[in-house]
Structure formats: C-alpha cells, structure tokens
Amino acid sequence: MSTHTLVQLTQKIRDIPDFPRKGIVFKDITPLLNDPQAFKMAIDAMAHQYIGQHLDLVVGIEARGFIIGAALAYILNTGLIPLRKPGKLPFLTHRMSYNLEYGSAELEVHRDAIKPGQRVIIVDDLLATGGTMRASVDLVKTLGAEIVGISFLVELGFLEGRSQLQGCDVTSLITY
Ligand code: AMP
C-alpha cells in the first residue's frame, strides 16, 4: 500500500481522549468504516497478504473484529468464527480468561467451530497490550486450529502488544 493511501486511511481514524476511561486515547475507526473508499482500501489491503494461501476460516473478536472479520472472510472465501463475550453463544463452548488493565475478561468459542488442523487467521480492529489476542490465540489452539496469521487494522506499537504474540505471524495496517 502506498504511503499516500496509508495517510488517507490514518486520517479516517479519530482520537477520542479519555474514552472509555480517563487517560485512554480511544482510536475510533467508525469514520473509516463510514467511508466506502477507505473501508474497501483497508479490507483489500488486509486481505492481500493472505491471497493464494489456503485458509479455512477467519476468526473475529467481539465486537469490532466481527466487522473486519466478516469482510475479510467474504473476500478470502472462508467461513467466519465469532469469539464472543461470555453467555452470548448458544451451544457448548470453551472459555478463556485474560487480564485487562483493570480486572479481567473472558472470551468464548463454540466447541465445534473449528476442526483440528483447520487453517485460520484471527483478526481484530486494534492491538493494544495484546492480552485479548493472546487469549484468542490460546482459545483457538484448544480446538486444534493451525494459526496462519494474526491481522489488525491498527497497532499501538508503544504498548508492545506483539511481545505477547511471539511465534505468531502478526501484521497490522496502521501503526502508531
Ligand atoms: P489489548 O487486549 O490491550 O490488546 O486490547 C485490545 C482490545 O481492546 C481490542 O479489541 C480493541 O478494540 C480494544 N482497545 C484497546 N485499546 C484501545 C484503544 N486505545 N482504542 C480503541 N480500542 C482499543
């Protein structure tokens, strides 16, 4: 992707200071989603790196990971697996807990969502400290998936979330 295009996309991400808590600068991607050209450019660029690789599934993390994941799955001709907050999935699930800056959180996946050996990518809108994606990797691995890659629209590089994801092929479109 050209520098010009990357700048165009970056301009569509809005900083919201002190959201959802004081001291956090929230990267709001809704202006990018709202712009048909920017949304398409972002999804096409994220998909590009996986074209020609055999993939079975895209795994998206609730909730913004569903938006990006669904678009990627459509382009890459794969199924889509949602990782959801507890209590949302109706069938039998596996659950993984992880630490947040304050407190902890959990994600669930349907037990029959992925067959052992299926080739998947996991996607989310943003990599911050890496705890959410680390838990997602561990959850997907309990089902025996082969994780081909991890893809983010945005990475907050200064938080060093990648250090949580060693051994995984991690890419992000826009890094701060
Ligand atoms: P982490 O587990 O710290 O990597 O946090 C990643 C998850 O929290 C992603 O699902 C993001 O959507 C969300 N998140 C964390 N920090 C931010 C931020 N500054 N702006 C927007 N979303 C964020």
Side-chain angles (χ1 to χ4, degrees), residues 58-62 66 80-84 89 108-110 113:
V58 172
V59 177
I61 304 173
E62 185 165 357
F66 296 168
L80 176 71
I81 303 299
L83 299 190
R84 297 217 61 183
L89 289 171
E108 285 188 343
V109 66
H110 272 153

Side-chain angles (χ1 to χ4, degrees), residues 24-27 64 124-133 156:
I24 305 278
V25 179
F26 190 86
K27 296 289 181 192
R64 289 179 294 277
D124 203 358
D125 65 326
L126 184 139
L127 173 63
T129 65
T132 307
M133 188 54 84
L156 303 183

Side-chain angles (χ1 to χ4, degrees), residues 56-57 111-120 140-147:
D56 297 302
L57 296 164
R111 286 188 186 191
D112 63 352
I114 305 173
K115 294 182 194 70
Q118 280 195 304
R119 288 167 59 82
V120 311
V140 164
K141 277 190 177 164
T142 62
L143 297 177
E146 186 183 334
I147 300 172

Side-chain angles (χ1 to χ4, degrees), residues 46-172:
M46 288 178 80
H48 185 74
Q49 63 199 310
Y50 300 111
I51 285 173
Q53 296 201 40
H54 170 71
L55 286 185
D56 297 302
L57 296 164
V58 172
V59 177
I61 304 173
E62 185 165 357
R64 289 179 294 277
F66 296 168
I67 300 168
I68 293 165
L72 285 177
Y74 182 81
I75 292 192
L76 294 168
N77 285 309
T78 72
L80 176 71
I81 303 299
L83 299 190
R84 297 217 61 183
K85 290 170 184 160
K88 302 281 188 186
L89 289 171
F91 187 59
L92 296 171
T93 60
H94 286 301
R95 188 178 283 199
M96 192 65 65
S97 304
Y98 59 101
N99 290 326
L100 292 171
E101 211 173 340
Y102 299 102
S104 66
E106 290 178 312
L107 283 170
E108 285 188 343
V109 66
H110 272 153
R111 286 188 186 191
D112 63 352
I114 305 173
K115 294 182 194 70
Q118 280 195 304
R119 288 167 59 82
V120 311
I121 59 169
I122 313 179
V123 305
D124 203 358
D125 65 326
L126 184 139
L127 173 63
T129 65
T132 307
M133 188 54 84
R134 178 71 251 164
S136 302
V137 166
D138 293 341
L139 191 53
V140 164
K141 277 190 177 164
T142 62
L143 297 177
E146 186 183 334
I147 300 172
V148 175
I150 294 174
S151 185
F152 298 96
L153 178 60
V154 180
E155 174 175 354
L156 303 183
F158 53 89
L159 294 175
E160 295 178 358
R162 274 179 191 251
S163 64
Q164 298 257 25
L165 304 172
Q166 275 162 16
C168 297
D169 184 7
V170 181
T171 56
S172 51

